[in-house]
Amino acid sequence: MLRGHLKIFFGYAAGVGKTYAMLDDAKVQYQNGVDVVIGYIKPNSSAENMALLKGIPALPYRKITDPKACYEFDLDAALERKPKLIIVDELAHTNHPGVRNRKRYQDIEELLNVGIDVYTTVDVWNIESLNDIVESITHVNVKETVPDYIFDHAEKVQLIDMEPDEIIHRNEEILLTRDYMPQLREIAMRKAADWISHHSRVSTDKTTNTKLLVCISSSPSSAKCIRWTARMAEALHAPWVVVYVENNQHERLGEESKKILQSNVELAEQLGAEVATLNGKDIATTVAQYAKLSGITNIVVGKSRNKKTLATLFEPYFEDKLISLLDNIEIHIIPDNEIKKKYRRFSMQRYKKKVTFSLKEALKMIGILAIITYLSSILTAFNFGSQNIILLYILAVLFISRVTSGYIYGITASILSVFLQNYFFMEPYNAFQFLRKENAITVFAMLITALITSTMTHRIKTQAELAQVREQRIEVLYEINKKLLVTRGLDHIVTLTGEYIMKLLERSVILYLEDPIHGGKGTLMLRQEDPDGDYLQSEKERSVAHWVFANQKRAGAGTDTFIEAKAYYVPILSQGNVLGVIGVACHGDKTLNHSNRAFLRRIGSLVAMALERQRLSDEQRQILIETEKEKMRSNLLRAISHDLRTPLTGILGASSAILENKERLDQETHDKLITNIKDDSQWLIRMVENLLSVTRINEDTANVTKTPEAAEEIMAAAISRIRKRFPNQNIRVTVPEELLMVPMDGTLIEQVIINLIENAIKHSGSETLITVLLKREDDMAVFEVSDRGEGIAEKDFPYLFESYVPDGLRTADSSRGMGIGLSICMSIVKAHQGIMEAYNQQEGGAVFRFSLPLQGGDENE
Amino acid sequence: MNNKLVILLVEDELAISNFISTILVHNEYSVIKAESGREALRLTTLNNPDLILLDLGLPDMDGIQVLKDIREWSNVPIIIVSARGHEREKVEALDLGADDYITKPFGTSELLARIRTAVRHSHKIMEENHPETDRIVIGGLSIDYDKRIVKLEDKEIHLTPIEYKIMTLLSRNVGKVLTHDFIMKEIWGPYVNENQTLRVNMANIRRKIEINPAEPKYIVTEVGVGYRMVDEV
């Protein structure tokens, strides 16, 4: 479907006349006969605007009553009405809860997706990437923003401009932005100019070799870096990457910080960045490696005015490290003006979280210390020096850090060790004495050593854990990929994927390969823990899945669209097509975090590849079948034209002989000619009947409509027809005592039996006995026709059931025979999922037999 | 006055119409030819024929419709002429009141036999107000309706009540095709769809009255349509 065109009326302040210009344009369109509909205009618009509205049809507002009464744009009514052009004011508007999309621009995207043209308005401060600049000028933080891609991808942008003085003159009440108006005006013009330069480029691909990278953290100030980079990238027409490094600090982040990180990532995605999450201990090294590998030319980092603390005294600054690692890269530093207090609060919280007390761990610690103390007392008894005791205690601390989880035990153990050692093993014994010169140094050295040991051990441990988690994830992805590679068939791919996602995210999963609106049922993988998964298949959830199919975007719980849905839905995309949708249950407010989403996305691309591969192989098979069918058809045609010519020539010859020699023919010759005509015609009729049978086989599926038939009745019908034609033929028929009901197309199977018996008669002559047998073998009904004739010639075997036999390979006898007949038998039996075979009997004569399955008929016919 | 039976031949193919009428005239029938459905309806009201041979493929209207229209007011025997492979069409025609059908291509003797059977049936109904004769004999098979006894070569055959009911139904319509649906409705009532049961019963009857069930003499299967009891062996 053709996407609709978006025209944005863009201004730098309220009151420049955006809405007026838009309505004016709409009016012209309307008068030119375009199907224009007013979707939404602020109800309290100015009188001039209202005057323009007159005459243009308008959609009624959608009234929302919960949680508070308000009027919203009615998206579904607009989609239903499907005009050519719709007017929807205020692009940046945030919808009230209860409306499907959180933002109006999402509504507008849906309209564009179904091919409706849209006119809308937006102010400069609503543009996402300009948000912070505007804030720095006006000191007002605008919450309602529109992602830049909406603006950048608009087909038309009309800048509505007016002298600031005039605006003020016209609208007395607008004073808020008065002082900033010139600056806002400048920014708006620049943005419009950017848009023009963006659109005047012939090719849209980002050709410059500039590639930007911005490092973000869980700090709210990262948003500024992201916006800055977005603007830079836009100006340079360069691609850009947002990188977050997950190191051992990551696990320690509080909920609040994780949320900020998540919102930073979302902001980046909204602004059109590629987001990469890297793992590594040292942020600078990791970033440098990534930058080298992906050809990054510019790196943007935020810099806070942190004073060097004791802990970081000897660590070089991050940017210094980057510079030392990457010599060819430009580094941009964005100052961070965040208020420090806020950050402090976070860190306090962060550590509070860390301190958790567990009796078991504490006992471990006390136990180890007790053992060491006891051991030390023995050693002291044997006069080992106190330096050995110190070493033993450090060993104990090392041990404790290793076997307990959390800093606290290691640190406590180091302090306790100092006390214990001081109390028991340092003069004066059994008393604390820190003030003695030699003691003081020992105590101090020991404390520091113990602390460092403890923290180091702990760090190594967390790193190992982190590495393990990382490795596990990679392994899982690798495993899925490996399994998907060997999996064939859509069902298997879906089940495999579903099982993995369910296992890893520990949530119920639903997978759709087909839009629910077109009858896609979806495969539900239910966890045993949530036995009630019906809600995933409710009408509401299915409509979310449908939306994802239609809009190629994620939706559901934790996103901006269908927030109230109970699951999170992501599309499986491949080359701009939605191959399927994965839904993950988020029941009970458990939305997915960023790493889970990223994981889903990765799985999604693996599945997309698998599905694509499956589709290709299906297509290939289809082509193979098609060519096979084509070959069969042309062979059949060739065979028919060959076989039909002979009897037709006979009929033509005989009839013209009679007509032209009326008087000269004696009665005997006359009758003989007539008999010839009759024989040839009968042969032709049989031929045509055979050909008609083929048309009953379904072209596409090579299948027939089956109904349960009594096999013996079909056999009897065939025999009686044969008897009519060959009254003197010696045929012995045997059917079993048991009644065999076989799903089949009776007429076709009758045809097969007739063909086989006819073939037998032709090859054995009318004198000999022909045996026709029906019996049951396991789950098959077996039909057998055997004769006492000359049998099948060895060289005929390969072509026995072929409709077309290369000339010269055909035995002379079969030139007017059942060549087509047998091949038709074969295709009929195959269409019944039966087996057909032929062999020579040892005592002479040929046997043709076919078996049909007793089960599996369509009972609906 | 001419005592010949009048047959209305509804067929649009001239060659076929010619050869059928030649056969019929030679066998002492009088033939009226119609080439379209409307003409057939007109000639039926005008001449009141004794039998109609109706081809279902007509140029102006569906043969089935012609059949329906005639059946609204007349019980004249109608034999459907149809192509092979159109079982559904045949069943529909029979269920709508056609007396019999014959499949193209057919032989002369077959056609004449069908016409004889159909005419005999209609005469039976017209001449005897009580069509219930007390017994029927076909070859070695005899059915005594009064005593409810079926004999084969003078030996009594034991049939279950359902089997006897089926035998009676077929023998009362001897020579005529009865569709599966028709038999099922007659035996089990209108709401039963016991296709399988009918087949099983037929198989049992066949094993009792036929020498070789694979080559039945008395009750023949019309594949995809139904069963027919032959009127002469």
Side-chain angles (χ1 to χ4, degrees):
Chain A
M1 197 188 316
L2 222 62
R3 207 178 134 87
H5 286 216
L6 175 66
K7 181 167 182 177
I8 294 179
F9 294 82
F10 183 53
Y12 68 92
V16 291
K18 297 182 300 289
T19 309
Y20 185 84
M22 174 170 75
L23 290 174
D24 196 35
D25 193 333
K27 187 109 196 168
V28 172
Q29 297 284 343
Y30 181 70
Q31 280 159 356
N32 286 341
V34 177
D35 181 16
V36 184
V37 161
I38 306 287
Y40 180 90
I41 294 290
K42 240 190 314 189
N44 55 350
S45 209
S46 71
E48 299 163 292
N49 290 350
M50 285 306 178
L52 270 174
L53 271 172
K54 260 190 204 137
I56 308 178
L59 288 176
Y61 296 112
R62 178 174 164 191
K63 196 172 173 194
I64 307 271
T65 46
D66 185 50
K68 61 175 191 198
C70 56
Y71 293 94
E72 285 287 356
F73 165 53
D74 194 343
L75 174 62
D76 288 318
L79 290 171
E80 178 90 0
R81 167 73 176 74
K82 211 176 172 206
K84 176 83 192 80
L85 172 65
I86 193 161
I87 314 301
V88 185
D89 207 3
E90 295 184 311
L91 178 64
H93 177 74
T94 301
N95 287 332
H96 279 264
V99 178
R100 177 190 326 158
N101 291 321
R102 203 161 71 83
K103 294 285 196 174
R104 178 159 298 153
Y105 68 79
Q106 292 171 317
D107 292 346
I108 287 177
E109 278 193 293
E110 276 190 48
L111 291 170
L112 294 171
N113 277 341
V114 299
I116 302 173
D117 292 347
V118 181
Y119 279 8
T120 189
T121 63
V122 74
D123 280 316
V124 66
W125 52 70
N126 295 125
I127 303 292
E128 180 67 67
S129 67
L130 301 174
N131 185 276
D132 57 335
I133 297 190
V134 172
E135 189 183 340
S136 70
I137 297 166
T138 61
H139 306 294
V140 176
N141 187 5
V142 179
K143 285 275 185 285
E144 299 195 324
T145 58
V146 175
D148 286 52
Y149 71 88
I150 299 279
F151 186 86
D152 294 341
H153 293 174
E155 274 71 18
K156 284 178 188 163
V157 168
Q158 187 167 338
L159 179 68
I160 311 299
D161 191 37
M162 198 184 264
E163 282 290 328
D165 290 345
E166 200 173 334
I167 298 177
I168 293 155
H169 174 71
R170 280 169 172 240
N171 306 280
E172 293 295 329
E173 71 272 27
I174 298 176
L175 292 168
L176 181 70
T177 52
R178 177 175 203 160
D179 300 340
Y180 324 119
M181 271 187 184
Q183 288 170 65
L184 289 177
R185 193 178 178 198
E186 184 192 342
I187 296 168
M189 285 182 168
R190 272 178 198 236
K191 184 69 189 170
D194 275 351
W195 180 89
I196 292 164
S197 90
H198 185 77
H199 276 253
S200 57
R201 284 183 159 236
V202 183
S203 90
T204 48
D205 55 329
K206 307 192 170 183
T207 45
T208 44
N209 41 19
T210 314
K211 194 170 177 188
L212 295 150
L213 180 147
V214 54
C215 304
I216 62 161
S217 69
S218 58
S219 148
S221 61
S222 287
K224 194 176 169 190
C225 299
I226 295 170
R227 287 207 179 87
W228 188 90
T229 319
R231 285 196 298 273
M232 185 78 161
E234 174 59 32
L236 295 171
H237 301 280
W240 59 298
V241 191
V242 169
V243 164
Y244 173 72
V245 178
E246 210 171 79
N247 62 355
N248 47 3
Q249 306 281 323
H250 180 76
E251 297 303 318
R252 253 178 279 154
L253 289 179
E255 272 311 303
E256 198 74 12
S257 310
K258 277 190 179 164
K259 231 176 235 171
I260 293 171
L261 178 64
Q262 177 93 31
S263 73
N264 282 343
V265 168
E266 272 164 22
L267 173 71
E269 280 174 349
Q270 240 175 30
L271 289 170
E274 184 187 322
V275 179
T277 307
L278 306 175
N279 283 293
K281 176 181 158 283
D282 187 69
I283 299 176
T285 327
T286 319
V287 171
Q289 261 168 7
Y290 180 86
K292 267 185 199 155
L293 285 174
S294 4
I296 300 293
T297 55
N298 298 55
I299 293 183
V300 181
V301 292
K303 177 142 173 72
S304 51
R305 285 175 298 178
N306 274 355
K307 290 260 162 55
K308 286 229 161 188
T309 59
L310 194 70
T312 55
L313 190 58
F314 299 106
E315 267 181 36
Y317 285 113
F318 173 62
E319 54 276 10
D320 289 347
K321 221 162 161 185
L322 265 185
I323 292 166
S324 68
L325 288 165
L326 300 160
D327 35 10
N328 287 329
I329 282 181
E330 285 178 38
I331 293 182
H332 308 259
I333 294 173
I334 310 298
D336 171 11
N337 301 325
E338 280 297 315
I339 313 133
K340 279 276 108 71
K341 239 198 239 161
K342 221 168 152 190
Y343 191 67
R344 276 282 147 69
R345 199 161 50 79
F346 281 167
S347 49
M348 280 311 292
Q349 220 172 27
R350 191 167 93 185
Y351 282 109
K352 235 184 248 166
K353 283 231 151 168
K354 224 32 235 176
V355 183
T356 45
F357 182 76
S358 142
L359 189 67
K360 201 176 145 204
E361 307 275 293
L363 283 176
K364 268 192 211 162
M365 175 186 83
I366 292 166
I368 291 170
L369 283 178
I371 291 166
I372 292 296
T373 311
Y374 181 68
L375 202 68
S376 305
S377 62
I378 296 171
L379 290 177
T380 320
F382 286 98
N383 265 338
F384 282 87
S386 67
Q387 66 277 20
N388 293 319
I389 307 296
I390 293 170
L391 280 176
L392 265 181
Y393 272 103
I394 289 176
L395 190 70
V397 169
L398 197 80
F399 227 70
I400 288 162
S401 312
R402 183 77 192 85
V403 298
T404 56
S405 63
Y407 269 118
I408 183 81
Y409 304 104
I411 293 168
T412 317
S414 20
I415 295 166
L416 278 178
S417 305
V418 170
F419 279 107
L420 285 170
Q421 195 263 350
N422 190 284
Y423 187 79
F424 290 115
F425 309 110
M426 219 175 251
E427 283 178 54
Y429 299 109
N430 295 340
F432 291 113
Q433 180 52 271
F434 294 108
L435 293 175
R436 276 176 60 176
K437 223 169 33 197
E438 58 270 45
N439 280 9
I441 290 170
T442 318
V443 165
F444 184 71
M446 187 169 156
L447 184 64
I448 296 290
T449 320
L451 274 175
I452 290 174
T453 320
S454 156
T455 38
M456 290 257 279
T457 325
H458 181 77
R459 189 181 289 176
I460 290 167
K461 232 171 87 183
T462 38
Q463 236 166 47
E465 275 164 18
L466 209 67
Q468 207 180 347
V469 170
R470 205 160 58 211
E471 201 164 307
Q472 200 185 347
R473 261 192 228 164
I474 291 169
E475 210 159 273
V476 164
L477 282 174
Y478 176 67
E479 201 179 311
I480 294 175
N481 200 18
K482 213 167 65 183
K483 287 225 171 125
L484 282 176
L485 269 176
V486 296
T487 308
R488 288 285 170 269
L490 293 179
D491 294 351
H492 291 129
I493 293 175
V494 165
T495 337
L496 185 79
T497 319
E499 269 167 9
Y500 267 105
I501 299 176
M502 185 172 75
K503 209 166 74 189
L504 288 162
L505 302 186
E506 296 177 337
R507 288 153 193 263
S508 300
V509 175
I510 189 161
L511 281 123
Y512 292 93
L513 288 186
E514 217 184 319
D515 195 332
I517 220 166
H518 300 134
K521 280 269 175 291
T523 314
L524 182 66
M525 301 265 167
L526 209 56
R527 278 184 81 219
Q528 284 172 343
E529 284 83 348
D530 12 310
D532 181 33
D534 286 348
Y535 65 88
L536 280 175
Q537 284 171 315
S538 67
E539 206 43 55
K540 213 167 171 186
E541 296 295 314
R542 290 165 73 83
S543 72
V544 182
H546 163 65
W547 189 91
V548 175
F549 266 104
N551 293 282
Q552 314 202 342
K553 274 185 200 149
R554 60 183 192 186
T559 65
D560 287 349
T561 315
F562 290 108
I563 310 162
E564 72 286 358
K566 296 216 169 53
Y568 172 78
Y569 293 88
V570 275
I572 302 170
L573 287 168
S574 172
Q575 297 168 356
N577 292 317
V578 183
L579 300 179
V581 168
I582 303 175
V584 179
C586 300
H587 197 40
D589 229 25
K590 292 187 298 181
T591 51
L592 292 176
N593 62 19
H594 178 70
S595 74
N596 281 345
R597 286 184 191 189
F599 181 69
L600 258 188
R601 216 169 27 223
R602 261 173 238 158
I603 287 188
S605 59
L606 290 183
V607 177
M609 269 199 295
L611 290 177
E612 191 70 14
R613 200 168 48 231
Q614 183 65 33
R615 199 177 58 81
L616 284 177
S617 87
D618 283 353
E619 254 171 32
Q620 205 171 13
R621 212 175 46 213
Q622 194 56 39
I623 290 169
L624 218 68
I625 291 172
E626 281 299 320
T627 42
E628 191 61 35
K629 260 201 283 193
E630 199 50 52
K631 211 174 96 191
M632 209 180 90
R633 215 170 292 155
S634 65
N635 277 348
L636 194 67
L637 262 181
R638 243 183 298 179
I640 292 165
S641 47
H642 176 271
D643 283 11
L644 287 186
R645 214 179 290 140
T646 331
L648 283 173
T649 318
I651 292 171
L652 186 68
S655 51
S656 41
I658 296 168
L659 282 175
E660 285 159 20
N661 307 295
K662 257 179 217 147
E663 285 80 29
R664 274 171 285 166
L665 285 178
D666 57 76
Q667 192 59 39
E668 200 188 328
T669 326
H670 183 265
D671 285 356
K672 212 177 128 195
L673 286 172
I674 298 277
T675 317
N676 283 349
I677 294 177
K678 194 183 168 195
D679 287 349
D680 275 342
S681 319
Q682 268 173 353
W683 191 88
L684 278 175
I685 283 169
R686 290 203 298 281
M687 176 77 132
V688 170
E689 272 174 15
N690 265 313
L691 292 176
L692 273 176
S693 311
V694 182
T695 63
R696 285 174 73 117
I697 301 176
N698 189 314
E699 276 274 317
D700 297 328
T701 54
N703 242 323
V704 286
T705 322
K706 289 188 253 178
T707 39
E709 296 273 4
E712 59 187 53
E713 289 181 359
I714 304 300
M715 195 115 141
I719 300 286
S720 84
R721 274 164 59 96
I722 286 286
R723 283 254 187 256
K724 266 183 208 159
R725 204 147 61 226
F726 307 96
N728 300 321
Q729 186 69 43
N730 189 2
I731 304 177
R732 195 168 70 208
V733 193
T734 321
V735 295
E737 196 50 38
E738 176 194 10
L739 171 70
L740 295 180
M741 292 294 285
V742 183
M744 61 160 109
D745 182 323
T747 323
L748 289 181
I749 295 301
E750 187 188 345
Q751 186 72 50
V752 172
I753 301 172
I754 290 171
N755 282 353
L756 292 182
I757 298 176
E758 250 178 47
N759 188 51
I761 292 173
K762 203 160 64 68
H763 286 97
S764 63
S766 54
E767 306 304 316
T768 59
L769 175 75
I770 286 169
T771 320
V772 184
L773 177 71
L774 170 69
K775 63 182 176 189
R776 183 190 181 138
E777 272 179 16
D778 298 329
D779 289 340
M780 304 287 259
V782 178
F783 300 75
E784 211 173 83
V785 176
S786 41
D787 61 47
R788 301 273 166 81
E790 75 265 35
I792 305 158
E794 205 54 47
K795 67 168 180 173
D796 279 346
F797 264 112
Y799 306 105
L800 204 55
F801 297 111
E802 298 274 330
S803 57
Y804 180 72
V805 180
D807 278 338
L809 282 172
R810 210 187 256 257
T811 45
D813 177 59
S814 61
S815 63
R816 242 193 90 180
M818 295 305 300
I820 298 177
L822 283 183
S823 83
I824 286 170
C825 290
M826 189 61 160
S827 26
I828 291 174
V829 171
K830 265 191 190 162
H832 281 82
Q833 284 82 44
I835 304 157
M836 178 135 192
E837 54 202 339
Y839 53 88
N840 284 326
Q841 293 185 94
Q842 296 215 321
E843 61 269 28
V847 178
F848 284 84
R849 56 179 267 159
F850 65 97
S851 21
L852 303 180
L854 287 168
Q855 302 296 322
D858 308 334
E859 297 293 339
N860 54 4
E861 250 289 312
Chain B
M1 208 189 134
N2 195 350
N3 262 342
K4 283 180 182 172
L5 287 175
V6 179
I7 295 182
L8 173 64
L9 173 59
V10 189
E11 169 66 70
D12 63 319
E13 290 284 339
L14 204 62
I16 293 172
S17 160
N18 273 341
F19 110 79
I20 295 178
S21 67
T22 313
I23 294 166
L24 293 180
V25 168
H26 276 280
N27 283 280
E28 305 295 312
Y29 294 105
S30 144
V31 178
I32 312 164
K33 286 195 241 176
E35 281 179 22
S36 68
R38 280 178 226 299
E39 202 182 346
L41 289 172
R42 193 172 55 81
L43 290 174
T44 311
T45 29
L46 209 65
N47 296 345
N48 199 12
D50 295 296
L51 185 134
I52 300 175
L53 271 178
L54 176 64
D55 191 316
L56 288 181
L58 291 174
D60 59 337
M61 57 195 285
D62 189 2
I64 294 284
Q65 191 55 46
V66 177
L67 173 70
K68 274 191 203 162
D69 288 356
I70 295 175
R71 270 288 170 267
E72 273 178 19
W73 59 275
S74 167
N75 271 326
V76 56
I78 300 177
I79 298 178
I80 298 297
V81 181
S82 122
R84 209 170 112 70
H86 295 188
E87 279 73 28
R88 207 186 282 268
E89 193 179 87
K90 289 177 201 163
V91 173
E92 194 188 354
L94 288 171
D95 285 341
L96 283 170
D99 289 72
D100 207 343
Y101 72 85
I102 186 161
T103 309
K104 276 191 213 171
F106 46 80
T108 320
S109 52
E110 200 181 347
L111 175 67
L112 292 173
R114 292 291 157 86
I115 291 175
R116 275 201 301 278
T117 308
V119 170
R120 196 159 56 226
H121 264 284
S122 74
H123 278 226
K124 240 189 230 168
I125 294 163
M126 280 196 292
E127 286 162 14
E128 303 169 27
N129 274 339
H130 303 282
E132 315 277 320
T133 46
D134 24 330
R135 68 190 249 111
I136 184 169
V137 179
I138 306 155
L141 183 76
S142 71
I143 303 171
D144 189 326
Y145 297 124
D146 279 349
K147 295 181 186 159
R148 302 172 71 89
I149 287 175
V150 178
K151 280 185 179 169
L152 184 68
E153 312 291 351
D154 280 338
K155 267 177 77 183
E156 198 179 325
I157 306 275
H158 292 284
L159 296 173
T160 66
I162 291 277
E163 286 165 9
Y164 178 75
K165 261 172 114 177
I166 296 174
M167 281 293 282
T168 321
L169 184 67
L170 285 166
S171 59
R172 290 239 187 258
N173 294 284
V174 70
K176 254 183 93 169
V177 181
L178 301 184
T179 63
H180 294 134
D181 276 356
F182 178 78
I183 300 173
M184 283 188 287
K185 273 187 194 131
E186 288 291 315
I187 306 290
W188 285 281
Y191 304 110
V192 188
N193 192 6
E194 293 280 343
N195 204 340
Q196 182 100 6
T197 320
L198 174 61
R199 308 299 174 104
V200 173
N201 276 294
M202 286 309 298
N204 290 337
I205 293 173
R206 234 180 271 129
R207 277 163 184 65
K208 286 174 184 171
I209 64 166
E210 306 283 1
I211 298 157
N212 184 356
E215 290 190 84
K217 265 163 70 183
Y218 300 108
I219 301 173
V220 296
T221 310
E222 303 281 337
V223 174
V225 180
Y227 298 102
R228 181 206 301 272
M229 184 172 275
V230 298
D231 47 1
E232 51 211 50
V233 180

